[in-house]
């Protein structure tokens, strides 16, 4: 693989957002501070002044989500992936006090800056299909370019694009592993 940057060009370091003065200085997230274990006040979700940019839907999808299948959420533009077995309905959102095993904290993906609510949407298995339900989030949930009506179940397929506020992710479904043959 060839390096596309000249060797004398230093890579830019990510800049810390000055509008988050209460963020932890170690990891820049809102949580219990490392120094004094005081719980810092989480700011409310603010309404965004822009709509998410979504490309037109031109792909075909398959919808089966069998028991034992794995969900992979790939966040854009970073490419970071989060695998989920989705044995139970799971809430996607920001840290909101006690995090349970059935909630995914999206704070490491700049969820607050992207307008993600604390309890933004719900992913669940329904009759061998993956579905998403917007939980009346402040900035909405979009599936393949369409804004979802709160509290309505919508089928999610392999390759679907999910946008929470303006946080983009792709959804991939890996079928269950075949049993070993003897």
């Amino acid at each position: 693989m060839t390096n596309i940057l000249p060797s004398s060009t230093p890579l830019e370091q990510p800049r810390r957002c000055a509008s988050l003065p209460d963020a932890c200085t170690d990891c820049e997230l809102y949580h219990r501070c490392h120094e004094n274990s005081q719980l810092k006040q989480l700011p409310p979700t603010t309404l965004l002044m822009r709509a998410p940019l979504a490309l037109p839907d031109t792909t075909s999808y398959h919808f089966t989500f069998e028991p034992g299948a794995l969900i992979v959420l790939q966040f854009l533009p970073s490419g970071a992936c989060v695998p989920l077995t989705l044995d139970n309905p799971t809430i996607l959102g920001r840290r909101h006090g006690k995090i349970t095993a059935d909630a995914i904290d999206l704070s490491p993906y700049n969820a607050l800056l992207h307008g993600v609510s604390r309890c933004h949407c719900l992913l669940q298995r329904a009759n061998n299909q993956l579905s998403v339900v917007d939980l009346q989030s402040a900035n909405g949930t979009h599936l393949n370019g369409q804004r979802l009506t709160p509290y309505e179940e919508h089928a999610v397929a392999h390759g679907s694009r999910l946008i929470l506020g303006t946080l983009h992710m792709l959804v991939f479904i890996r079928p269950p592993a075949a049993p070993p043959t003897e």
Side-chain angles (χ1 to χ4, degrees):
M1 180 155 104
T2 60
N3 186 358
I4 59 171
L5 293 175
S7 60
S8 62
T9 306
L11 295 175
E12 285 188 33
Q13 295 296 316
R15 290 178 283 169
R16 186 171 185 272
C17 179
S19 66
L20 296 176
D22 295 328
C24 176
T25 55
D26 291 331
C27 62
E28 299 181 9
L29 297 176
Y30 289 87
H31 65 296
R32 291 191 185 278
C33 180
H34 298 286
E35 298 161 5
N36 59 14
S37 296
Q38 296 283 325
L39 184 63
K40 296 186 177 192
Q41 180 65 38
L42 290 170
T45 304
T46 56
L47 291 176
L48 298 172
M49 303 309 289
R50 65 195 189 293
L53 173 65
L55 300 174
D57 184 19
T58 59
T59 55
S60 61
Y61 303 100
H62 64 273
F63 288 88
T64 56
F65 181 50
E66 301 167 8
L70 181 71
I71 299 297
V72 177
L73 301 177
Q74 183 181 31
F75 294 91
L76 303 174
S78 71
C81 293
V82 174
L84 302 171
T85 56
L86 216 62
D87 296 326
N88 297 312
T90 301
I91 293 173
L92 300 181
R94 293 185 288 121
R95 180 174 291 184
H96 57 286
K98 181 182 175 187
I99 294 294
T100 65
D102 300 333
I104 303 296
D105 181 20
L106 301 178
S107 297
Y109 309 101
N110 293 319
L112 178 62
L113 296 176
H114 285 287
V116 175
S117 296
R118 289 183 182 98
C119 292
H120 199 97
C121 69
L122 178 75
L123 287 177
Q124 61 188 354
R125 181 188 308 274
N127 300 325
N128 282 344
Q129 286 191 336
L130 174 63
S131 69
V132 62
V133 177
D134 180 79
L135 299 176
Q136 200 165 5
S137 58
N139 292 302
T141 302
H142 292 76
L143 179 62
N144 297 321
Q146 300 295 315
R147 186 171 180 139
L148 304 183
T149 304
Y151 302 112
E152 285 186 12
E153 203 171 89
H154 298 271
V156 178
H158 176 79
S160 291
R161 293 181 309 268
L162 194 59
I163 305 172
L164 312 184
T166 59
L167 179 62
H168 291 245
M169 64 190 84
L170 296 173
V171 180
F172 298 104
I173 300 173
R174 191 180 82 194
T181 58
E182 292 185 37

